[in-house]
């Protein structure tokens, strides 16, 4: 009857998912990690499948924290499938890394030929308001997106060792401690132009490109608050309805 509904829900371990809205439009899913964070050696898996013509928005109840590890990586694997005519918006709140955290994360998204996605992920190195500095850490963030079985986007971020020094370099983040990526498929030059029109309003640096029916925005900001300001401005310009939890 014109509404997206849950067909199958599975939870295990400390991961939970709730569906707070019951109105028209996209179904909203909110994931909750009842463990309160991620520690070295933890393994988490998320999977979402969007059926034909359905629309799903996924966010998190709060920023996810990755704590100091004694030497073992924490692993997070995300698997997304979107069927014909389906729409998926993946907009979790920030991932916050503590000093000496070790995170290995992967995204695998498989899209039908006419499916659409918006994938947004933000990483904040330490809580600036608490005076935290991430001197040492390891983060590997691997993205692979396929449409109709063909690879259309591949990207891997790797920071390892003296992260504070790497982020401080001019060829790195030039002292910024918060970064993010937003991918839109299909993406257009018009989307890129709408974001570039906001350049004077950004608290950090934002760049966007569009090619081969993909639009990709990169963010670098001095702290988490500035990064969220810029991400909300870009998502609004792209006419992406923000989850209510982002507005709290």
């Amino acid at each position: 009857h014109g509404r997206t509904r849950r067909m199958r829900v599975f939870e295990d371990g400390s991961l939970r998912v709730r569906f707070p809205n019951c109105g028209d439009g996209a179904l909203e899913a909110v994931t909750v990690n009842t463990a309160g964070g991620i520690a070295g050696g933890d393994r988490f898996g998320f999977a979402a499948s969007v059926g034909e013509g359905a629309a799903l928005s996924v966010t998190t109840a709060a920023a996810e924290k990755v704590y100091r590890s004694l030497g073992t990586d924490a692993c997070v694997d995300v698997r997304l499938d979107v069927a014909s005519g389906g729409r998926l918006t993946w907009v979790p709140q920030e991932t916050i890394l503590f000093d000496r955290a070790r995170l290995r994360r992967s995204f695998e998204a498989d899209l039908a030929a006419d499916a659409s996605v918006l994938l947004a992920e933000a990483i904040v190195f330490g809580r600036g308001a608490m005076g935290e500095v991430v001197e040492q850490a390891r983060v590997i963030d691997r993205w692979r997106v396929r449409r109709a079985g063909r690879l259309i986007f591949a990207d891997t971020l790797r920071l390892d060792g003296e992260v504070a020094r790497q982020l401080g370099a001019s060829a790195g983040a030039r002292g910024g401690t918060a970064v993010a990526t937003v991918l839109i498929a299909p993406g257009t030059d018009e989307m890129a132009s709408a974001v570039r029109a906001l350049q004077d309003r950004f608290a950090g640096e934002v760049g966007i490109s569009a090619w081969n029916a993909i639009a990709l925005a990169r963010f670098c900001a001095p702290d988490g608050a500035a990064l969220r300001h810029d991400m909300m401005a870009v998502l609004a310009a792209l006419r992406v309805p923000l989850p209510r939890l982002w507005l709290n």
Side-chain angles (χ1 to χ4, degrees), residues 28-166:
E28 183 176 308
V30 178
T31 65
V32 182
N33 178 9
T34 60
I38 299 175
D42 285 350
R43 298 187 64 89
F44 289 94
F46 297 87
S49 297
V50 181
E52 290 188 12
L56 175 67
S57 174
V58 182
T59 189
T60 55
E64 187 63 272
K65 301 177 180 67
V66 184
Y67 296 112
R68 175 176 177 169
S69 170
L70 297 178
T72 307
D73 291 349
C75 297
V76 178
D77 297 310
V78 179
R79 177 76 189 204
L80 307 172
D81 293 279
V82 188
S84 177
R87 294 183 289 113
L88 172 65
T89 303
W90 177 270
V91 284
Q93 299 190 62
E94 303 87 347
T95 297
I96 301 174
L97 298 186
F98 283 63
D99 191 36
R100 300 187 183 276
R102 296 174 65 93
L103 173 65
R104 181 186 296 269
R105 186 168 61 180
S106 69
F107 289 89
E108 296 278 348
D110 285 292
L111 315 177
D114 59 347
S116 61
V117 297
L118 183 142
L119 309 177
E121 278 289 348
I123 299 176
V124 179
F125 294 86
R127 296 173 296 180
M130 305 291 289
E132 296 172 352
V133 177
V134 178
E135 296 286 354
Q136 297 273 340
R138 171 185 170 95
V139 55
I140 300 173
D141 211 20
R142 179 182 183 274
W143 294 40
R144 298 294 185 269
V145 180
R146 293 174 175 83
R147 184 179 292 283
R150 184 174 65 87
L151 184 67
I152 61 171
F153 180 76
D155 184 67
T156 301
L157 166 70
R158 181 188 178 103
L159 291 171
D160 197 356
E162 298 178 354
V163 167
R165 180 183 60 80
Q166 296 169 18

